[in-house]
Amino acid sequence: MRIRNIIWWTAFFILAILGQMLLPGIDLMVVGLIIAMQERNPLQIIWVLILCMLLQEGQGTMDFGASFCWYGLTMFIYYIGRAIFETENIFFILLVCASLGALHFGLMYIFSGLQGVSVPFKRLALESVGEMLIVPILWLALHRLRGGVARHAD
Amino acid sequence: MTPKRIFLFLTVALFIFLGLYTWNRKTDHLDSAANATGLEATGLVLKPYHWIVSEIKGIWENYLDLVDIRAENDALRVELHEKQELVSRLAEDREELLRLRKLFQFSERLEWNKVGAQVIGRRMGPLAVLESVMIDKGVANGALPGTPVVTYRGVAGKVLRAGARSSTVMLLTNPGFKVAVVSQRRRVPAVLSGGGPGAPLEVKYIPAHAELLPGEMLVTSGVDGGFPKGVPVAIVTSVNPPAGNPFLAVTAAPLAEIDRMEEVLLLQRPPHSVGRPEKPSPLEEVETAANMLGAE
């Protein structure tokens, strides 16, 4: 079971890296973090979070720190949403994804401004919309691939 | 979760973030860790992918896409003859230049080492806000941050972050990218910077009276020490009169095909010249001084 889990996560991160190469500016690894949170295994959440942060910071061109806020606030939104809805509720998924899109825009705008980098407004808006649309599709697909583990966790 | 606990959680998270951010700004430890792990892991995934794609592409181009090869060969043969003629003429000019350099006792120009690298990825992830590409060479191959990156056409950018065997290159089109240039024919010095994605490059600090026309090539002047002297950078596309300041509003287009480049060259400074900018020739010093006096 453990080996299967390791293989699953390895495949996930490889595909996420390749996916991010094809979709510039969009974070696909956040779906892995959401799935890890759905499964409620603290150790798994921690190492998935650390891997996501290191990979994003390594691929990025900003000073270290933006990923901390990005994933920290994603987790915060997830747990707040979970306190209101069930994790398989469609409103919960839509709420989290809409929040992620807005968060992507706000955080990247603030962080690039703090580091004196001007980011084209239109490009950032498009990436945020992309994040908002792609995450729920991937989330549902990966959730099914994981064999409905989260269903039992709830 | 009560509002009190939420507030406490956010406060603690903010303090941890500020602490980590400040510590990293001072020490660079977290950036180095991200380069050593995240950047390297990404390179490890992208290199085999790139190899597979290029192999498949190679098979297609070598065995299947043979249409029009004969016509292309003929055209290339004609072009080769033209180039050979040009090379023989340039060889004569070069000999003359070397003789003149010796006569005027100019210092010998140092040759920068060139290391080839392949582009394995472009802007990746939400934190890649700068226009950048990822290459398959890192610190182990001499790709240190700041290393100039060029294509066979001209300047492409410089290394921004480097892992052991992969690195990220900041492209010429970034507003934060700056390089000292000089116009090739009229020797007008300037500073060139990126204008952002899809926007023309900006050529700054050219005095209003300077003789610069669209179509002139800009090459690196070497005075900033970051790039060797004489590397082509861009072609001037527009020159407009100053609007409220003493400098011309000049734009340029990069010579390197930034969006399509697949291979690049890393220029490594000769070991005994580290940290020393290339000295301009006496003639250039006189021209620069004359330009500055003219600007006043």
Side-chain angles (χ1 to χ4, degrees), chain A residues 21 57 60 63 123 127, chain B residues 25 49 123 127 129 131 161:
Chain A
M21 185 187 67
E57 292 286 352
D63 288 338
R123 188 182 85 186
E127 285 171 5
Chain B
R25 290 287 283 191
Y49 169 80
R123 209 167 59 81
L127 309 186
V129 289
E131 294 297 301
R161 309 177 72 167

Side-chain angles (χ1 to χ4, degrees), chain A residues 14 17-18 20-27 54-70 72-73 76 79-80 104 108 111-112 114-115 117-120 123 127 131, chain B residues 1 6 9-10 13-14 16-17 20-21 24-25 28 30-31 33-35 37-39 41-42 45-46 49 120-132 134 160-161 168 174-175 197:
Chain A
I14 290 173
I17 290 171
L18 293 175
Q20 288 196 174
M21 185 187 67
L22 301 171
L23 298 164
I26 292 175
D27 181 7
L54 286 174
L55 283 166
Q56 296 297 5
E57 292 286 352
Q59 291 170 12
T61 53
M62 294 168 104
D63 288 338
F64 196 97
S67 71
F68 184 91
C69 284
W70 167 239
L73 286 170
F76 181 72
Y79 286 121
I80 290 287
H104 179 103
M108 295 313 137
F111 269 90
S112 52
L114 278 175
Q115 293 181 23
V117 178
S118 61
V119 183
R123 188 182 85 186
E127 285 171 5
E131 189 81 53
Chain B
M1 208 182 241
I6 293 171
F9 169 80
L10 286 175
L14 182 69
I16 292 173
F17 166 71
L20 283 174
Y21 191 79
N24 180 57
R25 290 287 283 191
D28 257 2
L30 294 173
D31 276 329
N35 291 346
T37 53
L39 183 59
T42 306
V45 172
L46 294 185
Y49 169 80
I120 54 171
R122 297 194 175 264
R123 209 167 59 81
M124 286 179 72
L127 309 186
V129 289
L130 299 176
E131 294 297 301
S132 58
M134 206 174 276
L160 180 72
R161 309 177 72 167
T168 307
N174 271 298

